[in-house]
Amino acid sequence: MDFTFRNVSVIDTKTHSIIANVLVGDNPSASPQNIAISPNGLLAYVTNFGSQFQPGNTVSVIDTKTHAVIATILVEDNPSRIAFTPDSKIAYVLNNGNSNFPGNTVSVIDAKTHSVIATVQVGRFPIAISITPDGKLAYILNLLDGLSVVDTKTHSVIATILPIGSDPLSVSISPDGKLAYVSDRFVNTGNITVIDTKTHSIITRIPVGNIQPHNIAFTPDGKLVYVTNFDGNSVSVFDTKTHSVISTVRVGLSPLDVVISSKYL
């Protein structure tokens, strides 16, 4: 049986070569969807997303020292995004479901025991997550039901922010934890929504038109935000003090993601 689509490749960042391939998932139709490394560097959590015929419903836990799967965690249908709290103790997994049965839950996993300790009901089709730097809040973006704010101590929704947009995609929280930026890639009326994380209220909405803003990254000092524009073949640079575009960088076709180097400063 061909397990190519169930591999996680491990790359040596010094030699830029593959040093291991790890088989994940618990059924042939499931494939690794997303991966998150715990902040302490000890674990890699991989969500296994299924097909239209057989949903994936597990998270594979990889020991980053041995490159071996040490646990397989049962969650709910078609887990996608995953994020750790800054102390590496808890992982939040978004369960997407499918077009016929939209998922609306988040599995909360204890990273010491690799077990689900809570299930949080959020909006339909949770697609993105960002956790505040102090680890107290998780902002979960739902495709159909706005933004759910979860208290990570009680694992409960304490606020729902609406409206966010017609086709939201990504959420990112500033390094100081004070702001959240959300992209809406809806054709012709796309925008960036800026949220105050203290009041869980919308500060402003920045119209960007038909360039389809996708993913978001803050600079480490929190002064700038970079947003990829899928249809604009560009990256927009926002000033977080004025929430305005200060530069547009032309890049290649259909940019999806953006990451800021830790050596930025």
Side-chain angles (χ1 to χ4, degrees):
M1 186 173 292
D2 184 2
F3 293 110
T4 304
F5 297 112
R6 291 172 57 196
N7 274 346
V8 171
S9 295
V10 183
I11 298 173
D12 185 315
T13 57
K14 185 176 181 180
T15 63
H16 311 302
S17 59
I18 295 175
I19 57 175
N21 284 296
V22 185
L23 178 65
V24 296
D26 62 339
N27 72 72
S29 67
S31 59
Q33 176 80 355
N34 279 286
I35 185 169
I37 305 293
S38 59
N40 61 17
L42 299 178
L43 300 171
Y45 270 35
V46 182
T47 54
N48 301 305
F49 198 89
S51 69
Q52 60 178 322
F53 305 108
Q54 186 173 6
N57 58 0
T58 63
V59 173
S60 297
V61 182
I62 300 173
D63 183 317
T64 59
K65 185 176 181 180
T66 62
H67 312 308
V69 174
I70 58 173
T72 300
I73 307 166
L74 182 65
V75 288
E76 297 192 3
D77 284 355
N78 291 339
S80 58
R81 297 287 180 178
I82 184 168
F84 282 90
T85 52
D87 60 9
S88 300
K89 292 182 178 180
I90 298 292
Y92 272 56
V93 177
L94 311 187
N95 301 307
N96 272 171
N98 58 56
S99 57
N100 293 321
F101 300 98
N104 65 345
T105 63
V106 175
S107 297
V108 184
I109 297 173
D110 183 319
K112 184 176 181 180
T113 62
H114 310 306
S115 59
V116 175
I117 58 173
T119 301
V120 185
Q121 184 168 330
V122 292
R124 289 168 294 171
F125 293 122
I127 56 172
I129 179 172
S130 187
I131 295 177
T132 53
D134 61 11
K136 293 181 179 180
L137 298 173
Y139 267 55
I140 296 164
L141 182 62
N142 309 296
L143 183 62
L144 298 181
D145 296 311
L147 195 63
S148 302
V149 183
V150 176
D151 182 317
T152 59
K153 185 176 181 179
T154 61
H155 309 306
S156 60
V157 175
I158 59 172
T160 301
I161 304 170
L162 289 165
I164 291 299
S166 300
D167 194 10
L169 180 70
S170 181
V171 58
S172 184
I173 294 175
S174 61
D176 62 8
K178 294 181 179 180
L179 298 172
Y181 269 53
V182 179
S183 66
D184 175 20
R185 60 183 173 176
F186 192 68
V187 176
N188 297 325
T189 59
N191 60 66
I192 301 294
T193 300
V194 184
I195 296 167
D196 182 321
T197 59
K198 184 176 181 180
T199 61
H200 312 307
S201 60
I202 295 173
I203 298 173
T204 188
R205 204 182 304 275
I206 309 165
V208 295
N210 62 356
I211 57 177
Q212 288 202 31
H214 271 53
N215 286 299
I216 303 166
F218 282 85
T219 54
D221 59 11
K223 293 181 179 180
L224 300 175
V225 172
Y226 282 65
V227 181
T228 56
N229 303 310
F230 186 81
D231 273 0
N233 302 327
S234 63
V235 175
S236 296
V237 185
F238 292 83
D239 182 317
T240 57
K241 187 175 182 180
T242 62
H243 308 304
S244 59
V245 176
I246 60 171
S247 182
T248 301
V249 184
R250 301 294 299 180
V251 293
L253 293 176
S254 306
L256 284 172
D257 216 341
V258 57
V259 177
I260 307 294
S261 169
S262 59
K263 295 183 179 180
Y264 163 79
L265 297 178

